[in-house]
Amino acid sequence: MAHEGRRVLVAMSGGVDSSVAAWLLKQQGYTCLGATMRLYDGEDAGAGAAGAELSGSAGTARACGNRADIEDARAVAERLGIPFTVIDCRARFERDVIEPFVRAYEAGLTPNPCAICNRRIKFGALLEHARELGCDYLATGHYARVARRAGDAGGAPVFELRRAQDVSKDQSYFLYGLTQDVLAHVLFPLGDLTKEGDVRRIAREQGFETAAKRDSQGICFVADNDFASFIERRRGQALPEGDVLDTAGTLLGRHRGAIRYTVGQRKGLGVAAAHPLYVTRIDARANTVTLSEEADLMAGALIADAWTWSVPATELEAALDRAGDAGLPVSVRIRYHQQGQAACLKRASDAERAGCADEAFRIDFADVQRAIAPGQAVVVYDGDTVLGGGRIVRAV
C-alpha cells in the first residue's frame, strides 16, 4: 500500500467522524494508533474544579473525553484492531482553555474556546504526544482539507488549509490557528467526504457503535450553553447586578450579570419597549449593558489582534506590501456558519492598534456586517484557502 509504514496517531473522540477517519486511514495502509484525550470530567462533582459536574437546573454537559465516549472510542479501536490509549490532558485544558474562556467572558468578550482548544490542545498537546510516539502524522475527524504545493524558488513545500468539500460541515473556521509546522503533520481524512452520504454510511456498513451517534453541540464543558451559570458555580458567587442603559445613558432596567448577554441579542432582555431593542455594548468594567436600535449593530470594518497565519507569514507580508493602502482582497468569516464576506485586509494604523495585545489588522467589508462581537474569531480566506485569523477587538 502507498502509505505502508507511515505511523498515524488518530484522535478518537468516540464520535462517528473520528471512527470513520481511523477506518479510512487503515484502509489506506497507515499504521494507526488510537487515542482519546481526557479533557474535562463531567461525571465528577466539585464546583470550581476542572472536574466539576455541571448539574442542577442547567442540565448536564457532554464533557470532552467523558467515560461513555472513551468506551465508544475503545470499542471502535478494538474492532479495527489498532492500539488505543487515553491521554490525560485535564490540567492543560483547564489552564489553556477553560480559565481563559472564563476570564474573557468576565472581561465582556465573546470567546471562541473551540479555536483555542484546537490550537493548544488537539494540535498542540496531542501532536506533541504523537511525535513522542514516533508518529509521522496526527489525524482527526475534522471536516477540512490540507493541500501541499511547491514553495517559491525551490524552497520548502507550502501546506494550505482549505475548506471541506461538504460546505455545511466545514470546520476550517475553527482551525485557522494551525501553522505550517502543524499542517505538515496533520491528516483530515474526511475533507473530501459528506457527512450523511459518506461518513455515516461507512460507519453503518462497518457496524460501528458510533454510526447513529448525534453530533455534539455547543461548548463541551458548559451545560446547555449556560455560560453565566457555569461561571457562577466556578467562581462560587452570583454575578453582580448592574444597569441596562440606552445609548444616552438613560436607565432602562437592571441585569443579573452582564455576561448573560451577547452583542446582537434581542430576546430575554427584561426591558419593555415600544420597538425592538438589541444589545449593542457590554461594558464589563462598568458592569453595564447598552441597548439600542438594530442599525447600531451595523459596522463596515473591524480591528483584530492575536493573529496566526496558516500560510507562510512571509507570503502574507509580501502580499500586504503589494496591496498597499487599498488592502489585500480577501473573503472573511466573523462567525462559524457565516458565508465568506468580501473584504480588504491591511495593517492597522497606530491609532487603530490602541487596546490591541500585539500586531493588529483592519478589515474593511464590502457590505456592512451585523453584530461584530469582540472576542470572537475572524478568519480570512483566499477562495477555499485559509490565510489565517485573529481575535476581534472592536467594530469600526
Side-chain angles (χ1 to χ4, degrees), residues 53-64:
E53 165 72 16
L54 302 182
S55 58
S57 60
T60 302
R62 178 180 168 183
C64 291

Side-chain angles (χ1 to χ4, degrees), residues 145-161:
R145 294 179 290 174
V146 177
R148 173 175 171 159
R149 62 174 168 86
D152 295 336
V158 173
F159 296 88
E160 294 181 342
L161 174 62

Side-chain angles (χ1 to χ4, degrees), residues 302-309 316-317 320 345-349 352-353 356 358-363 378 389 391 393-394:
L302 64 80
I303 306 297
D305 64 3
W307 281 83
T308 303
W309 300 119
L316 226 298
E317 294 292 339
L320 287 167
L345 172 73
K346 58 186 175 182
R347 298 180 184 89
S349 67
E352 290 168 338
R353 284 196 291 271
C356 296
D358 49 20
E359 185 178 17
F361 290 84
R362 177 182 173 119
I363 292 174
V378 53
R391 177 187 60 186
V393 175
R394 61 181 174 273

Side-chain angles (χ1 to χ4, degrees), residues 250-367:
T250 303
L251 180 65
L252 300 177
R254 297 279 289 173
H255 66 71
R256 296 184 301 107
I259 64 175
R260 297 186 189 279
Y261 300 81
T262 57
V263 172
Q265 180 178 335
R266 176 184 172 184
K267 297 181 178 180
L269 302 179
V271 171
H275 54 278
L277 293 176
Y278 300 81
V279 176
T280 56
R281 184 165 183 257
I282 300 168
D283 188 332
R285 180 170 295 180
N287 193 30
T288 59
V289 175
T290 299
L291 307 183
S292 186
E293 310 287 338
E294 187 173 22
D296 291 328
L297 288 172
M298 304 301 181
L302 64 80
I303 306 297
D305 64 3
W307 281 83
T308 303
W309 300 119
S310 296
V311 298
T314 53
E315 288 189 5
L316 226 298
E317 294 292 339
L320 287 167
D321 289 340
R322 290 192 299 270
D325 293 339
L328 179 68
V330 292
S331 177
V332 178
R333 294 164 72 183
I334 59 173
R335 53 184 64 92
Y336 171 39
H337 287 298
Q338 184 186 38
Q339 291 186 346
Q341 304 293 300
C344 288
L345 172 73
K346 58 186 175 182
R347 298 180 184 89
S349 67
D350 290 342
E352 290 168 338
R353 284 196 291 271
C356 296
D358 49 20
E359 185 178 17
F361 290 84
R362 177 182 173 119
I363 292 174
D364 288 277
F365 293 94
D367 299 311

Side-chain angles (χ1 to χ4, degrees), residues 16 20 30-31 33 39 78 95-96 107 139 153 159 176 193 203 213 273 285 304 319 344 367 374 390 394:
V16 63
V20 172
Y30 289 99
T31 299
L33 296 78
L39 300 180
E78 289 177 356
R95 182 193 70 204
D96 291 348
F159 296 88
Y176 74 86
L193 305 182
K213 198 169 183 178
R285 180 170 295 180
C344 288
D367 299 311
R394 61 181 174 273

